[in-house]
Structure formats: structure tokens, C-alpha cells
Amino acid sequence: MSFGQGGPSWGPGGTRTPDWAALADESAARNRRKKWLLIGGGVLATAAIGAIVATAVISTNKNNNSGKNASELPAPSDLPNDTAEPEPSFSSVAPPPPPDPKDYISDAKKDRAPITVDAFFPGKKLTMGNRVYVKGATQQTKNCAATTKGALGSILVNNGCEQVVRATYSKDGVAVTVGLAVFRTEAQAKKAARQASGSIATLSGQGVPAFCPPGSVCRRTANSYGRYAYFAISGFTSGKSVTTADKNVYATGDDLTNFTFRQIRHRGELQASAAATAQTG
């Protein structure tokens, strides 16, 4: 006895044998259905996720537009056109320039500080670099001609000299006397220095012997700054003549004239500083 195609068959002894080909076909069909179900489910899941994200984005935008975050800057249209803060203002008037120190020692009308020996030649010693000079005799007088030798006296008087301050310094057998002549104006002092002839007279005493006796050769210089003309005479306390080879004499004279110039300039700086303080006070 037999069945049609695809049915079970009977084995020996009357046992029923499964149709293995039919079972294999059925298993393959089931696998194909599962595969298509998985693919379709993935597509649906992807579409669902995209829809959720889009919905979230739209929802977020709606939330942001519905209310303003306190930390966000206002839109340009929300800024006020005018504010209560005043705009900065700048003065069109330039501040006055600082006073020029030279102005205060160029004219008697501005140069009002006291004129004394100590104002120009203070202390008992003068240190220039590693060189120390001892101060000797000093003098202040309105008799300008009496402080000079040769033609310098008449030159000072003719140019309107008002007074002369002298001081002598010495070191290692060399002495120098500086004479500071005071005038009303810078032009007078400059003219006197330019016309200089003769010399300032040496001033001895207080530890400094007489130097530059008649007939000896000494070094003489003349210069001016502001309304002050200053003259120096340098030589050996032994009385011997000075030559161009005597560098120590030249160094001594240069130190003292440089110091005198600095003192005049410092006088102007002090008065200019006081004027500047008064302007800003």
C-alpha cells in the first residue's frame, strides 16, 4: 500500500518513515518568513525613531520660542535706543606744557630764589667722581669790578653785573677760584662771557695759600648759562706756571666749572618744579 507524492512512507516491519524532503522544504519556508519579518521590523523601527527625533526637535523649537531664557542676550530690536549713561566728553583745551627750567634762570623777573654762597657752593667739600676737593674761602659782593683782574672788571660793569659770588677749592697742590657774575638777563651774561678778557681774581685763605702770582701762567675759562656768567682761574699753589701738559690742573678747572653749571641748572629746575606744583594745586 502506498500514498501519493509528499506523504509518509512505510518502512520494514510496518513502521512509518517521515518524509524528510517535505520537512526540509517546510523549514526553509519558515526561515524565509522570519527573515522578511525581521527586515520589515527594522524598517518600521527606523521610521519610528526618525519620527520621534523629528517630533522632539519640533517640540524643542516650540519650547524655545514660547519663552525667553534669562541667560540669553536680547535681540537687537529689544535693545533700548537711548540709555541713561552720559557719553564721555573730552576737553578741547590742551594742558599747559611743563615749565622750562631755563626760563627761571634767564630773567631776574622769574629767578626769585635767594642768591647766596651756599645756594651755589654748599658744604665744605666737593666730590666729583673719585676726586674730592676741599672748599676754601668764599665771598659775595656787589662790587663786581673788585673781584677781577685786567679788563674783566669793566666788561662786567658795562654789561650790567649786579653781584659776584666767588669760591675757591683745592686738591693736591692745585687750586681754582670760580666767580659767578649775576646779570638781569641772559643776553647780558652771554655778552659778558663772550667779551671776557683778563680773569676773575684768585681768592685765598682758609687753608688755601695764594696762587697764580703776577708773572705766572694760569688757566682761565669763561662761560655763561641763563643770566649767570661764570669764570674760573686754576693754578698751582706753589706758584709755578701751568702748561698744557698739566692735566691735573685742567681736570680741576673742568670739575669746578661743570659743578657751577649744574648748580645754576638745578636752581632753574627747583623753581620750575615749584611753579608746576602751583599750577596743578
Side-chain angles (χ1 to χ4, degrees), residues 27-219:
S27 176
R30 283 197 304 269
N31 289 337
R32 284 194 298 270
R33 285 196 298 271
K34 288 180 180 180
K35 180 179 181 181
W36 285 111
L37 287 174
L38 290 174
I39 293 173
V43 172
L44 290 175
T46 302
I49 292 171
I52 293 170
V53 172
T55 303
V57 170
I58 293 171
S59 176
T60 302
N61 289 337
K62 287 182 179 179
N63 291 338
N64 287 341
N65 292 332
S66 62
K68 292 183 179 178
N69 192 326
S71 64
E72 292 181 352
L73 291 174
S77 59
D78 294 335
L79 292 174
N81 294 328
D82 298 318
T83 63
E85 295 292 333
E87 294 185 359
S89 60
F90 302 94
S91 174
S92 59
V93 180
D100 184 355
K102 194 170 185 291
D103 289 344
Y104 288 84
I105 44 91
S106 295
D107 193 317
K109 294 178 181 179
K110 285 189 174 182
D111 187 14
R112 307 300 297 273
I115 296 175
T116 64
V117 172
D118 287 338
F120 292 97
F121 306 106
K124 296 181 178 180
K125 294 181 179 181
L126 170 63
T127 301
M128 298 288 286
N130 60 353
R131 300 175 296 280
V132 179
Y133 301 97
V134 178
K135 186 168 74 172
T138 60
Q139 182 196 51
Q140 182 175 1
T141 180
K142 292 183 179 181
N143 187 351
C144 297
T147 64
T148 66
K149 294 192 298 183
L152 185 60
S154 60
I155 292 172
L156 296 183
V157 172
N158 292 338
N159 283 289
C161 176
E162 295 185 335
Q163 59 178 307
V164 173
V165 178
R166 284 191 296 168
T168 297
Y169 291 83
S170 65
K171 177 182 179 296
D172 299 335
V174 176
V176 56
T177 295
V178 178
L180 185 73
V182 185
F183 298 85
R184 296 288 300 174
T185 67
E186 180 181 15
Q188 290 173 320
K190 189 178 294 185
K191 186 177 179 180
R194 187 172 60 248
Q195 294 176 343
S197 181
S199 69
I200 199 78
T202 60
L203 184 64
S204 58
Q206 296 188 12
V208 180
F211 60 102
C212 294
S216 65
V217 176
C218 287
R219 186 188 182 216

Side-chain angles (χ1 to χ4, degrees), residues 19 40 173 239 276 278:
D19 188 346

